[in-house]
Amino acid sequence: MTVTRQTVSRLDYTPPAFLVDRVDLTFELDEHNTLVTSRLVIKRNPAASAVADAPLVLDGEALVLESVKLDGRVLGPHEYELNDRQLCIGGIADEVILEIATRTDPARNTSLMGLYVSNGNFFTQCEAEGFRKITYYLDRPDVMAKFTTTLIADKAKYPVLLSNGNRVGEGQLDKNRHWVKWVDPFRKPAYLFALVAGKLVSLTDKHVTGSGRTVSLEIYVEPGNLDKCPHAMASIHKSMQWDEARFGLEYDLDTYMIVAVSDFNMGAMENKGLNIFNTKYVLAKPETATDADFDGIESVVAHEYFHNWTGNRVTCRDWFQLSLKEGLTVYRDQEFSSDVGSRAVQRIQNVRALREHQFAEDAGPQAHPVRPDAYQEINNFYTWTVYEKGAEVVRMYATLLGREGFRKGMDLYFKRHDGQAVTCDDFRAAMADANGADLEQFALWYSQAGTPLLDVAGAYDATARTYTLSVRQSCPATPGQADKQPFHIPLAVALLGSDGTPLPLSLAGGHDTDAATSRVLQLRQAEEHFVFTGLNERPVPSLLRDFSAPVRLRYPYTDEELTFLMANDDDAFARWEAANSYAMRLLRDGYASGQRGEAVHVPPGYLAAAGRLLEDETLDPALVALMLELPSEQYLFEALDDVDPALLSKVRIEVLQTLARELRGPLLATYQRLNDGAPYRFDAAAVARRSLKNVCLAILGERQGPVVSELLINQYRRADNMTDRLAALKALANSEHPEEYLADFAQTWQDDALVMDKWFSIQATSRRAGVLSRVQALMGHPAFSIRNPNKVRALIGAFCQQNLQHFHALDGYGYAFAADRVIELDRLNPQIAARLAACFNRWPKLEPVRRALMKGELERIAASAGLSSDTHEIVSKALQQ
Ligand code: TRP
Ligand code: ZN
């Protein structure tokens, strides 16, 4: 059975022929045979008058239909049409009541979409199109209804029964069963429906909103995990306070629930009042979770909570508008993290991730606009572009309109659209109208794919005392979009004088009198010139400050100018960027030397600048850590052509080894200074110190003599927290005899699934010989399961996406292994299979031998029988390059 789907096109949107006013659902929960009865109050949509007698077409998948009743009368099989995707009923009055009974087998549902079982408990996942696996319905986001849900289940096995909204009743039934009824007072699309049933325990707390309402906060986890919930609970409090203070948005129900589940396709889901989370984004204590895990939890909790307004109260008209809620909510969670933590660190980390993943996506076969025009499978569009580039697009409104202007736009957006399903254009209109701004050209950020490139040149005229910045913008062709129009781009700039201070900026012809030292230039044309006046010396330009737009920028800095910016720029992002550019330059040069068979050379200027960073104790250790970290292999890969990944890896290691040798003294001194033996604390200062300490350790770990080995072993043994222990284990895993430490780690943490994920990843990303056989052997480990997405990501995903050297082994076994896993997973969980298949996207960038090998594996996947539409879409686009 091939389930290849038709392409869905954005411009084909039509309003639904019917609307649903009310949904009353009853679930009789049983692992293998759950009965779902749905009573729908359905009305013809007055706004869709063109189709006055259209039949009612309901979506449904993998359901067994028991009965259909129309206005109380059971329909015979000739009174409707049924296929494996739809239930179609003709001759319907303007308002009807439809009652549908269906059965499903949740225990056999390995797709983790719809209703499924995880560790004996029931969960649902309905976004984007999972509700149709629960019952026949108008499963599209512009159909918003009021839901009530009654859950019936065995009381001993499923003591906790949860759904959206408020709990309004409960009681006992025969056969040891009980029931609970939930009412959600807010209209919502079906993708926000959720239920949970099982043996769970909860941590509870209260939040009093600014207007004085009390909200009960409840986090549900499997027994034994309550000690890992306080950080998530603290994150809820912070998120609620922040959204009230920054956007004036309060929570709107009496209860806010989070439930953690270990089998989950993504990070978390914002179902109304009942968010369901991957355990990875809930459970944490210092012994088991790293600082990065703690940060991840804080931001995902915030993200899902913020969706209550940006996503739920105002939702998407259709799935092409996904970034309306996701880009905006990512922007909001990034701003939250910046306000409660370090803004500079947050920005640099976000930009680093955007460039590594989204820029690559935008340059590859799946490049698509923030608002895509077509899809075969919507699950494939939960992408870096829709989320992270979408967040950058929202950030640009704030950059162009200012913080207050942005807030005005948000207020107008909610005023106009609360309770509606709307489009990205509606959001843009609210921003424009609230500020009287012209955002017509800005619309191109939603419709054009590809990463714009800014070529910048600077010219100083000593006689006229002017400095002219010339900016040319272009955007590469992407699939289906050969020619691009110029974007409206905010470009933040400053000019630094020779003493390192930013100079007052006045633009020729400008009427500004305040001599600001930083300003946002607005680019609208393919080429523009900005003349700054009154400058007594040739300045060094600081460009794209705070990464003011999601673009690439080229400016011919000298090495000296880069070290000058590293030391002086008052914009933390630009300062980090100077270090990053310098490191990129030396890695590319190193790669070129490697290709000529020459040794890799690290320029003394770079070593000196890095040494000064280590020695300056007045600097924020977190920023120093970020500046010292070399660009990743993946990022470097994107910057090269005809890539030999083995050489790339080797060159990067040689650079690290050179740093370890040449900066040994300062690295050791910094390590010792920060390794103060103080007991673990999770606060910004302590996290910053650990980050620099462990960056030093990682670099030193590239040359493991007796002194460094002892440091590693001591840190591994003595650490009172997972951040330090894992940092040591990572370096030890590349040493000659890691077995003792890996065994000790597994022994200690064998019962903690999330910690075992780290153990799998460390081995999958190790550089030692024989990693692939190790990965294959680990697939048989009792803690591994191919059905669990976290395990697949930790072991298989880590090997295919983060182990350049071994995944790209010249014998092609790495590729064959990945293809086998894609085919195996496709039968179980198409979403996860499709994500893994994307590891083949960049085959045209490889040198010819590997290019052919990888393409061969893609062809093998494409030819395998019964491929899902998810994997089919990814693989066929990858082959079309
Ligand atoms: N809307 C969710 C978020 O961004 C993500 C999501 C979409 C999801 N589809 C999913 C999560 C499927 C789990 C499974 O927060
Ligand atoms: Zn989201």
Side-chain angles (χ1 to χ4, degrees), residues 667-685:
L667 285 166
L668 279 170
T670 307
Y671 178 85
Q672 302 297 5
R673 167 165 68 88
L674 299 170
N675 193 34
D676 51 14
Y680 177 88
R681 286 182 44 185
F682 182 74
D683 59 41

Side-chain angles (χ1 to χ4, degrees), residues 67 317 348 397 435 561 828 855 857 881:
S67 64
R317 187 193 72 173
I348 292 164
Y397 289 110
N435 291 282
E561 284 171 329
L828 298 168
K855 188 164 182 235
E857 294 301 337
Q881 301 176 79

Side-chain angles (χ1 to χ4, degrees), residues 113 125 127-128 264-266 268-270 303-304 307 325-326 382 387 831:
M113 292 299 289
Q125 172 57 40
E127 187 177 4
F264 203 65
N265 282 347
M266 302 210 219
M269 179 64 213
E270 70 264 24
H303 180 97
E304 305 311 329
H307 266 316
K325 74 177 177 81
E326 295 305 347
Y382 287 77
Y387 277 65
Q831 267 184 61

Side-chain angles (χ1 to χ4, degrees), residues 2 5 149 157 185 229 267 291 302 309 422 429 462 494 535 551 572 637 694 710 740 776 782 794 841 866:
T2 309
R5 230 196 262 183
T149 308
K157 277 162 102 178
C229 296
D291 293 341
W309 278 95
V422 304
L535 295 161
V551 300
F637 180 98
N694 287 323
E710 199 185 314
E740 181 190 343
Q776 282 168 317
N841 276 349

Side-chain angles (χ1 to χ4, degrees), residues 239-249 306 331-332 334-339 343 395 398 402-404 406-407 410-411:
S239 306
M240 288 185 152
Q241 268 156 15
W242 183 87
D243 217 12
E244 291 174 13
R246 176 90 182 256
F247 287 107
L249 298 172
F306 296 157
Y331 170 73
R332 276 153 52 67
Q334 290 178 352
E335 280 300 290
F336 163 78
S337 296
S338 302
D339 284 347
R343 180 164 285 271
R395 181 175 299 278
R403 186 184 274 226
E404 278 165 28
F406 185 79
R407 171 67 194 267
M410 289 290 281
D411 290 350

